[in-house]
Amino acid sequence: MKALQLHHELTAIWRTEPGWRGHLRSVNHSDIGKRFIVAAFVFFAIGGVLAMLIRAQLATPRSAFVGPEVYNQLFTMHGSIMMFLFAIPMFEGLTMYLLPKMLGARDLAFPRLSALGWWCYLFGGTIIVLAMLAGVAPNAGWFLYPPLSGRTYTPGINSDVWLLGVTFVEISAMCAAIEIAVSILKLRAPGMRLDRMPIFAWYMLATAGMMIFGFPPLILGSILLEVERAFGWPFFDPALGGSPLLWQHLFWLFGHPEVYIIFLPAAGAVSTILPVMARARLLGYGAIIAAIMALAFLSFGLWVHHMFTTGIPHMALGFFSAASALVAVPTAVQIFAWLGTLWSGRPQMKLPMLYLIGFFIVFVLGGLTGVMLAMVPFDAQAHDTAFVTAHLHYVLVGGFVFPMLAAAYYWLPHVTGRQRVMRIGEAAFWLIFIGFNLTFFMMHLTGLLGMPRRIDTYPEGMGWTALNLLSSIGGFLQAFGFALFLIDVVLQIGLGRVHRRNPWGATTLEWAMATPAPAYNFASLATVTDREPLSTQPDLGVRLARGEGLLAVARNGWRETMVIDMTTGAPEHVAILPGNSWLPITTAAMLGGFFLSMLAGLYAVAPLFLPMVAWLGWRWAWTNGYHEDVGPLDAGHGYRLPPSFEAERTTGWWGSVLALGASATLFTALLFGYAFLWTIAPNWPPPRLIAPSLAVPALASAGAALSVVTARQGRIAAALGGQAAIVVALVLLLWWAPAPTGHAYAATSAAIAAYGIFHAGTAMLILAFVAARARAGFHSPARSGEVRIARLWSDHGAAAGAFCAILLVVPGWLA
Amino acid sequence: MSTIDPAGPYARSVTGLWWVMLGGAALLSLLVFVLLALAFRRRPDGDGVANPRLWIGWLGLAMPGAVLLPLLGYALVIGARTLPVPAEDAVAIDVVARRYAWDFGYPGGRRTRDVLHIPAGRPVDLEITATDVIHSLWVPRLAGKMDAIPGQTNRLRIEADAPGTYQGECAEYCGTGHGNHGFVVVAHDAAGWAAFIGERAR
């Protein structure tokens, strides 16, 4: 009876309100995760239709199915949709749905941030697809190389759709990355030390870290290219000191980690599902974690292998070639750990296992062609041919789509509470598997026979005709296979039999709950003593539902979950999470207004949306915290823990650290661009340098010092004044600097100054917020978390501002 | 247009590399697939826990390391051999790519469009640039490709064994005409080449 009462009380607190209103206000991680998954599958279907059109065009030589203008939009959109609107959101959705359940928590660290990410993704993706329907889709390739994507050669809004739409969606990816990293580090079941985490969490921790450092270069590149297109700042124009290669560096600095960002979550799913199918423990847990970390680290050191034919010196290529080949080692460690796991147990050929076998075969072949392409001389032949198309589909479909299909069949019972009845999944597998190999195995040969990528027609007599026809037939087989998969899933949701708890006999915590999952996940929180809680405590789910765990209480209408020490897993404090809210959707709508007015060329209107976003952010933060001291809460089992607003280091503090880390990465990429252009680009030195003033760096440094010192003494107004001095100094510097449209030097200098102004301005806003909160009684000696967070932003603004001001006048001094 | 039907020393060395890698890849994938298949053989009750040292240490770490290091060395040597190092008999030709043509300029001032004339049996150093967007020059049977990038000049060495004609194409997506952005390479014997660039044949 206790269980039922607890269920009702917790549901009242955690539930999503009924009807449309509830749908728009929901912040629940299960809801948001499922939405991401469904939307990503819809985009996958759209991308798949585009792929079918591409294959229809290439099925025969001299095809007149579509012209080159349409064809260029087709392959650009196919790549962009599959990368940005399918792959990343799909694993984000899977992770948002699963992670808290696997970690034994009730929700993610920043529920409203997930919701904001969802709306940004939906709006951004919609903009991109609507542009395609209007016939103004991006058409410069998913890699958008300038000068082709620049204003001269793509005068329409095609490239702007990509730059603005993808950047809008990228906001969602950055939100998800910070969300996932903080949730894994801090929101776990008590006792879940790092070495007791489910392997999926390790994979996602590495993935989130890679996103935090991998996405900023692309966001920076997109901003620079959009500014070049809109305002004529010549970052990539060689006639004015820019370089088209700068874009390629920034793009692939993101683009290569990106493919591992896509692969790792899928590998995490494999490492989770495969031991269950093999009825064995995962072999080499520690070795796999080491391999994940090595892969994450190495993946940032091999972006140049996408640029082997751009004229980079051979010795430099040798380094990147070696790094690209070495990345095969951590991958091999995982492959053989999985094989060893299968050998340890007695694997059953259930449906998820069948898809995992498809993954093994396809992914290993893709990995081997990857090693081939890492060899510079071979790449010089194969680069930009169908061979590379084949390779990338082998690794991405093999390394992501097959594991996701396995994951779909494995976790569907968890989402729906039902088991499948019809046996369509096997037929779907064979259609997809055979169709896939027919399509892409042929492309290796087509490429070796000299067929380049991205051509809309080809003549007869090249030896490409039969191969292309086979590829097209295979493509359509795959399409039927995916249609069958969809039918199978729909049937399972509608007609499946209700199953017992934990139908696969898994050992991870997400199966220690009723399915479909209740809004609060766990009526009380587990205490974890080993890596496989459900094998040592099979009845854990029932005991948690009876309230025998921690936080088995519904109090004050609070959404409570446990925050632990990062390494030891000891309970630290109780997080009070925010509930349903209008803020995510309204904030996303304002951001959407900004991006749409940029797209429409209304450059006077666009900035008006930013104060709205800032105001909503203010409201957003204002709802946190508490206006009186509460003291420690009873968490059960004798634990008395402070609530999050009286905690030393809140999740918000960790989130700020990661957000600033991402921002610092963007700044580093910008400095790289500045140095790169200075040393590599043609038409340097610039006609006029920034005047070597003393006043500007002195004012900025003084402001920075003032801000850093006074923020520590709690003199918020003085700290705000210091940040204002930085803004004034940098604005003056820009005022006296040469016009940014004249030369890439002036343009990059202006971009650097803009970074400093933005961060000092943000720090001013945050300091003003803290001052207002203090006046409203939200702070006390016990409740000082916000001041600590503000100090992070203020210190970063100070350091960045002073650094920018000094850096920008140095060339003038040296000249 | 086939890379596996080479007609010059640089393309031939890459073709050799390709066949070696194909053989190695076939063996490795066979190994993985056999191990995968054997995991499903009927056993009275599992083999117990597999030995991590064997699976992860030897198969996961040592084996790829042992395969990759020699391969890297081999590829590095081949790559170094294709570099345009100073050579007695090398001919320098400048190439300008644009939408949608290829312009070639020869020693002695002669220029051609969409037909590249070269002497057979001698290394030819192409100095490649572009005037509008990025293109990439590729003659699959003679050598690897090299991008033509506005604002910079890249060098690529190609060589044909024997007189004849070879197809070239643009390998970097450059807009709506990308599919037809090809050219022809004509390799001449010594007398033909001399006649072409206007030297008196002696």
Side-chain angles (χ1 to χ4, degrees):
Chain A
M1 277 303 89
K2 169 99 198 275
L4 205 58
Q5 189 194 345
L6 199 55
H7 170 73
H8 286 309
E9 288 174 350
L10 285 169
T11 301
I13 294 174
W14 287 86
R15 71 177 190 143
T16 296
E17 299 130 318
W20 273 108
R21 185 167 174 279
H23 192 80
L24 300 178
R25 286 165 43 88
S26 172
V27 295
N28 177 287
H29 74 101
S30 296
D31 283 0
I32 305 284
K34 283 187 282 196
R35 288 182 203 175
F36 263 102
I37 291 169
V38 171
F41 192 83
V42 169
F43 282 115
F44 177 71
I46 296 172
V49 168
L50 295 174
M52 294 301 94
L53 296 173
I54 292 172
R55 283 308 339 160
Q57 168 76 8
L58 293 179
T60 53
R62 304 203 182 284
S63 166
F65 175 58
V66 296
E69 290 81 7
V70 173
Y71 183 80
N72 295 346
Q73 292 189 27
L74 289 181
F75 74 72
T76 300
M77 287 301 286
H78 168 70
S80 306
I81 286 179
M82 287 303 195
M83 282 285 189
F84 296 106
L85 302 181
F86 160 63
I88 292 173
M90 178 59 87
F91 80 69
E92 282 171 4
L94 182 75
T95 308
M96 282 178 182
Y97 180 85
L98 279 182
L99 253 189
K101 301 179 174 73
M102 276 191 172
L103 298 173
R106 283 181 176 148
D107 207 327
L108 290 159
F110 313 114
R112 289 177 300 180
L113 200 62
S114 326
L116 172 70
W118 154 250
W119 295 113
C120 286
Y121 163 52
L122 183 69
F123 296 164
T126 307
I127 291 172
I128 294 173
V129 170
L130 287 179
M132 183 173 73
L133 295 177
V136 289
N139 57 1
W142 84 278
F143 42 92
L144 218 80
Y145 282 3
L148 180 63
S149 59
R151 210 165 31 170
T152 314
Y153 301 101
T154 309
I157 66 164
N158 311 59
S159 297
D160 303 310
V161 169
W162 193 100
L163 291 164
L164 296 164
V166 167
T167 304
F168 196 8
V169 174
E170 228 76 303
I171 294 175
S172 131
M174 290 311 294
C175 290
I178 292 169
E179 172 90 274
I180 289 166
V182 175
S183 300
I184 294 172
L185 290 174
K186 299 300 292 180
L187 262 62
R188 306 197 294 266
M192 193 183 274
R193 301 189 314 233
L194 282 176
D195 61 330
R196 290 178 187 161
M197 285 204 302
I199 192 77
F200 185 77
W202 276 107
Y203 275 101
M204 285 320 304
L205 185 60
T207 306
M210 288 174 71
M211 288 167 85
I212 288 165
F213 295 112
F215 275 75
L218 176 69
I219 294 173
L220 171 75
S222 302
I223 293 170
L224 298 187
L225 187 50
E226 183 55 31
V227 168
E228 173 171 307
R229 286 180 55 89
F231 309 116
W233 297 20
F235 297 104
F236 309 108
D237 177 1
L240 294 170
S243 166
L245 278 190
L246 173 60
W247 168 266
Q248 293 191 25
H249 279 291
L250 293 174
F251 184 84
W252 292 117
L253 204 50
F254 143 84
H256 202 84
E258 152 88 346
V259 296
Y260 294 104
I261 286 168
I262 291 173
F263 167 64
L264 279 178
V270 173
S271 290
T272 307
I273 302 169
L274 188 127
V276 177
M277 294 293 135
R279 294 176 288 183
R281 290 191 73 150
L282 180 66
L283 186 78
Y285 176 88
I288 287 183
I289 291 169
I292 298 168
M293 295 304 154
L295 198 70
F297 178 76
L298 282 172
S299 72
F300 283 89
L302 36 91
W303 78 95
V304 171
H305 74 212
H306 297 267
M307 304 164 65
F308 278 169
T309 62
T310 57
I312 290 169
H314 189 251
M315 267 337 281
L317 296 187
F319 168 82
F320 287 102
S321 168
S324 308
L326 283 182
V327 92
V329 175
T331 313
V333 166
Q334 291 171 79
I335 294 276
F336 286 106
W338 291 325
L339 283 171
T341 307
L342 287 175
W343 276 62
S344 307
R346 286 174 298 121
Q348 294 170 290
M349 195 51 87
K350 290 185 172 155
L351 191 54
M353 188 70 228
L354 188 61
Y355 281 93
L356 289 184
I357 287 182
F359 148 79
F360 259 102
I361 294 172
V362 174
F363 181 72
V364 166
L365 293 175
L368 289 165
T369 52
V371 171
M372 296 176 186
L373 288 167
M375 302 303 134
V376 177
F378 181 71
D379 183 74
Q381 282 287 30
H383 177 70
D384 267 333
T385 69
F387 188 96
V388 177
T389 316
H391 157 73
L392 80 91
H393 283 87
Y394 264 83
V395 284
L396 286 175
V397 177
F400 185 74
V401 175
F402 276 101
M404 283 299 125
L405 291 167
Y409 280 116
Y410 178 77
W411 276 298
L412 252 178
H414 190 287
V415 179
T416 61
R418 294 168 184 273
Q419 275 175 303
R420 59 194 195 111
V421 279
M422 313 276 279
R423 306 192 66 77
I424 305 179
E426 283 79 1
F429 168 80
W430 288 110
L431 277 175
I432 295 170
F433 182 76
I434 293 168
F436 173 84
N437 281 296
L438 187 59
T439 304
F440 293 104
F441 197 83
M442 298 305 149
M443 279 196 198
H444 291 122
L445 305 174
T446 328
L448 287 171
L449 295 178
M451 182 170 170
R453 295 169 80 176
R454 303 162 191 135
I455 55 171
D456 56 314
T457 55
Y458 53 93
E460 299 96 339
M462 309 292 279
W464 305 340
T465 310
L467 292 171
N468 271 301
L469 184 61
L470 286 174
S471 285
S472 294
I473 292 168
F476 282 89
L477 281 183
Q478 267 181 95
F480 286 124
F482 284 114
L484 270 189
F485 165 79
L486 180 63
I487 291 167
D488 195 24
V489 169
V490 170
L491 286 176
Q492 182 174 337
I493 293 170
L495 306 174
R497 275 196 313 273
V498 174
H499 62 75
R500 60 187 167 84
R501 270 191 187 218
N502 197 359
W504 306 108
T507 58
T508 37
L509 280 176
E510 81 270 27
W511 298 100
M513 62 175 69
T515 48
Y520 52 83
N521 283 352
F522 302 99
S524 62
L525 301 189
T527 302
V528 170
T529 52
D530 59 8
R531 209 176 288 157
E532 300 187 335
L534 283 193
S535 65
T536 42
Q537 318 170 61
D539 60 340
L540 183 64
V542 180
R543 288 196 291 111
L544 294 180
R546 281 206 300 261
E548 292 173 25
L550 298 166
L551 293 181
V553 59
R555 74 186 129 207
N556 308 348
W558 284 346
R559 297 188 173 194
E560 297 181 2
T561 191
M562 191 69 82
V563 178
I564 58 161
D565 181 274
M566 206 179 287
T567 43
T568 64
E572 199 179 75
H573 65 263
V574 178
I576 316 290
L577 298 174
N580 299 322
S581 164
W582 286 110
L583 287 165
I585 188 170
T586 46
T587 309
M590 288 303 140
L591 285 165
F594 170 78
F595 283 110
L596 278 174
S597 29
M598 284 297 291
L599 196 56
L602 302 169
Y603 302 129
V605 177
L608 301 180
F609 285 96
L610 297 179
M612 307 282 259
V613 173
W615 178 72
L616 286 166
W618 182 289
R619 292 275 315 277
W620 185 302
W622 195 269
T623 57
N624 297 332
Y626 212 58
H627 42 74
E628 59 187 45
D629 288 3
V630 181
L633 305 170
D634 177 14
H637 293 210
Y639 285 111
R640 294 193 60 75
L641 303 170
S644 45
F645 30 75
E646 292 172 26
E648 177 87 9
R649 289 257 182 274
T650 56
T651 49
W653 190 88
W654 290 104
S656 292
V657 168
L658 294 178
L660 289 170
S663 183
T665 309
L666 183 138
F667 188 52
T668 311
L670 180 57
L671 295 178
F672 162 82
Y674 183 73
F676 176 84
L677 291 179
W678 199 286
T679 47
I680 302 276
N683 297 317
W684 284 68
R688 187 161 76 84
L689 294 173
I690 290 173
S693 81
L694 258 180
V696 164
L699 177 61
S701 308
L706 176 72
S707 179
V708 169
V709 171
T710 51
R712 272 161 186 64
Q713 300 163 338
R715 291 158 55 202
I716 300 299
L720 210 153
Q723 298 289 345
I726 293 173
V727 173
V728 169
L730 288 171
V731 169
L732 283 175
L733 184 127
L734 280 182
W735 189 258
W736 294 323
T741 49
H743 192 274
Y745 159 78
T748 36
S749 299
I752 289 171
Y755 179 88
I757 292 170
F758 174 80
H759 273 281
T762 308
M764 284 169 70
L765 185 70
I766 289 174
L767 289 165
F769 175 82
V770 168
R773 294 277 280 183
R775 273 200 304 280
F778 279 95
H779 297 168
S780 73
R783 287 173 283 125
S784 60
E786 280 177 8
V787 182
R788 270 194 215 93
I789 293 174
R791 204 186 298 156
L792 279 175
W793 290 85
S794 161
D795 287 353
H796 176 82
F803 180 82
C804 292
I806 295 166
L807 174 80
L808 292 178
V809 297
V810 163
W813 278 107
L814 296 178
Chain B
M1 286 275 250
S2 170
T3 60
I4 41 187
D5 177 21
Y10 306 120
R12 192 173 312 108
S13 63
V14 178
T15 311
L17 174 69
W18 153 250
W19 290 120
V20 169
M21 291 196 300
L22 180 66
L27 286 176
L28 288 172
S29 44
L30 193 68
L31 168 74
V32 171
F33 300 158
V34 166
L35 289 175
L36 182 63
L38 287 179
F40 286 86
R41 71 192 187 281
R42 287 185 189 283
R43 285 162 287 177
D45 40 1
D47 298 347
V49 176
N51 179 357
R53 177 179 283 192
L54 166 71
W55 287 94
I56 291 166
W58 286 107
L59 286 169
L61 277 168
M63 198 253 316
V67 171
L68 290 172
L69 288 174
L71 179 62
L72 274 168
Y74 176 31
L76 205 62
V77 169
I78 286 183
R81 270 200 247 135
T82 62
L83 294 177
V85 292
E88 278 286 301
D89 54 348
V91 180
I93 298 174
D94 67 82
V95 181
V96 180
R98 45 200 181 74
R99 309 198 319 171
Y100 290 98
W102 297 90
D103 284 315
F104 305 102
Y106 303 88
R110 188 162 177 183
R111 303 195 68 80
T112 59
R113 173 169 301 179
D114 292 346
V115 183
L116 168 60
H117 296 266
I118 60 170
R122 285 170 67 183
V124 175
D125 289 339
L126 302 175
E127 312 216 334
I128 305 164
T129 190
T131 56
D132 43 27
V133 302
I134 301 175
H135 304 272
S136 187
L137 178 141
W138 190 32
V139 189
R141 294 187 62 201
L142 300 186
K145 56 186 68 67
M146 183 56 78
D147 293 356
I149 301 173
Q152 73 180 66
T153 301
N154 290 333
R155 300 180 75 206
L156 173 72
R157 177 164 287 187
I158 66 172
E159 186 175 335
D161 291 328
T165 57
Y166 307 96
Q167 285 292 318
E169 58 197 341
C170 176
E172 184 68 70
Y173 173 60
C174 55
T176 46
H178 172 58
N180 296 319
H181 193 203
F183 59 97
V184 178
V185 181
V186 179
H188 299 273
D189 58 17
W193 175 250
F196 173 78
I197 62 166
E199 289 173 1
R200 282 206 201 86
R202 284 270 166 208

